[in-house]
Amino acid sequence: MADPASVDRAAVLATCTAPGFGIHALWTYGLKPRGLMRHLRVVPVAGLADMATVYRLRRDANQFYGRRPDAHDPEAWADPLDACSILFLGLLGDKPIATARLVVNGGDRSRSELQALVPVPEEFWEGGFVEVSRLVVHPDFRGNRIRLDMFREVERLALGLGVRYLLFDAIPKLAPLYEAVGGRRLPLTKKHQDSDEIEQVMYVDMRAILARVNRFSAVWLAGFGGTLGRHLEIAGREPTDVILGPARRSPAAAVIRGMGRLLARAGG
């Protein structure tokens, strides 16, 4: 008879490797192996094989919710803005379970999906922004905090680019999730690109997060402080100075950056 620890290890191995065996299968069998998310890695897309994986994830995640049910060919889920985006995959062990992209527009309005639909307020074009889109999680792993792990990579990339604003959209039930990590709602909505669902347009102001100490700071640092600290160790202060602008020498900015460094060291 296997002991509980060995059952947990076997369940983790199956979740990270076996096709069709996901977190919901664990729940079905009454299993809750500890530390499963330690095996989650977020990696950049590199090459055609990874792009094919991205398209399959987009298809499987969207069709689970009834979007474009006849679009069986993964290539049908490609998008012109992929060419000017940083794409990445979430891997649990070796199993791809999530994907997202960061569209880098460089001030070119033709490289913004939101601009074509809403349009984007001028303050964001003046301050500079990147667009987060096509963030999907495989149906076998829905309902977990994987979106936050993907968003952690989004913010890491934004720090490296020295970009003040992140713009994105969210279906209404996910908007509170993003508000918990600094997202704010704009008075704008749009249709989902693959359905008639109405989505809320949201943004994150990285300057406000990095230059202000308040009750929210502790929440943000708990989730993203280590990411900030590791970024500072690798890239130095220059990218965050660009984001902070006139606030780069403020006491609040020094506190946030100092806490980020401490959390990065504590995390190893």
Side-chain angles (χ1 to χ4, degrees):
M1 201 68 176
D3 61 85
S6 63
V7 171
D8 273 0
R9 285 195 295 271
V12 168
L13 179 63
T15 309
C16 292
T17 58
F21 193 94
I23 289 176
H24 290 267
L26 292 180
W27 296 341
T28 299
Y29 290 106
L31 299 171
K32 295 180 181 179
R34 296 185 182 91
L36 180 62
M37 286 301 114
R38 287 202 308 265
H39 301 281
L40 183 69
R41 298 177 292 128
V42 182
V43 300
V45 167
L48 295 177
D50 281 354
M51 284 305 302
T53 300
V54 167
Y55 300 151
R56 285 195 298 272
L57 282 167
R58 289 178 184 173
R59 178 197 63 192
D60 294 346
N62 281 288
Q63 289 187 340
F64 178 83
Y65 293 104
R67 300 169 188 145
R68 296 175 60 195
D70 298 326
H72 302 299
D73 183 355
E75 292 285 340
W77 296 86
D79 183 270
L81 292 179
D82 289 336
C84 55
S85 301
I86 303 170
L87 293 103
F88 42 99
L89 288 165
L91 305 176
L92 190 59
D94 293 324
K95 183 188 290 185
I97 64 168
T99 183
R101 73 180 183 187
L102 203 61
V103 185
V104 182
N105 59 59
D108 182 346
R109 296 181 186 229
S110 70
R111 293 184 173 184
S112 168
E113 185 174 60
L114 288 172
Q115 177 67 26
L117 297 170
V118 278
V120 175
E122 284 301 314
E123 65 183 281
F124 295 99
W125 287 108
E126 292 167 4
F129 72 94
V130 289
E131 210 164 297
V132 187
S133 61
R134 303 302 189 273
L135 198 169
V136 298
V137 177
H138 191 278
D140 290 343
F141 295 87
R142 69 192 187 280
N144 291 278
R145 296 180 61 85
I146 295 164
R147 286 180 179 273
L148 294 184
D149 289 299
M150 300 298 286
F151 214 79
R152 188 175 291 113
E153 179 67 5
V154 165
E155 293 206 357
R156 185 191 71 80
L157 292 167
L159 288 168
L161 293 168
V163 176
R164 176 174 178 178
Y165 295 110
L166 308 176
L167 265 66
F168 55 99
D169 51 55
I171 58 176
K173 73 175 183 179
L174 290 178
L177 173 73
Y178 294 119
E179 286 178 319
V181 294
R184 299 179 183 178
R185 304 182 192 220
L186 283 170
L188 299 169
T189 57
K190 61 175 277 290
K191 280 180 61 175
H192 190 283
Q193 68 275 359
D194 296 311
S195 73
D196 291 329
E197 296 164 278
I198 299 301
E199 297 181 302
Q200 176 69 51
V201 180
M202 305 183 71
Y203 73 99
V204 171
D205 182 349
M206 294 301 296
R207 179 178 295 178
I209 288 172
L210 296 174
R212 197 175 297 160
V213 176
N214 52 28
R215 286 180 298 176
F216 169 73
S217 299
V219 176
W220 186 86
L221 284 166
F224 299 90
T227 300
L228 170 63
R230 286 186 289 275
H231 164 78
L232 289 167
E233 290 172 2
I234 295 168
R237 286 182 40 162
E238 184 175 351
T240 50
D241 279 350
V242 172
I243 294 169
L244 285 161
R248 61 186 178 275
R249 294 189 179 89
S250 69
V255 169
I256 295 293
R257 287 196 275 208
M259 287 300 299
R261 289 189 177 98
L262 286 173
L263 288 166
R265 289 170 194 149

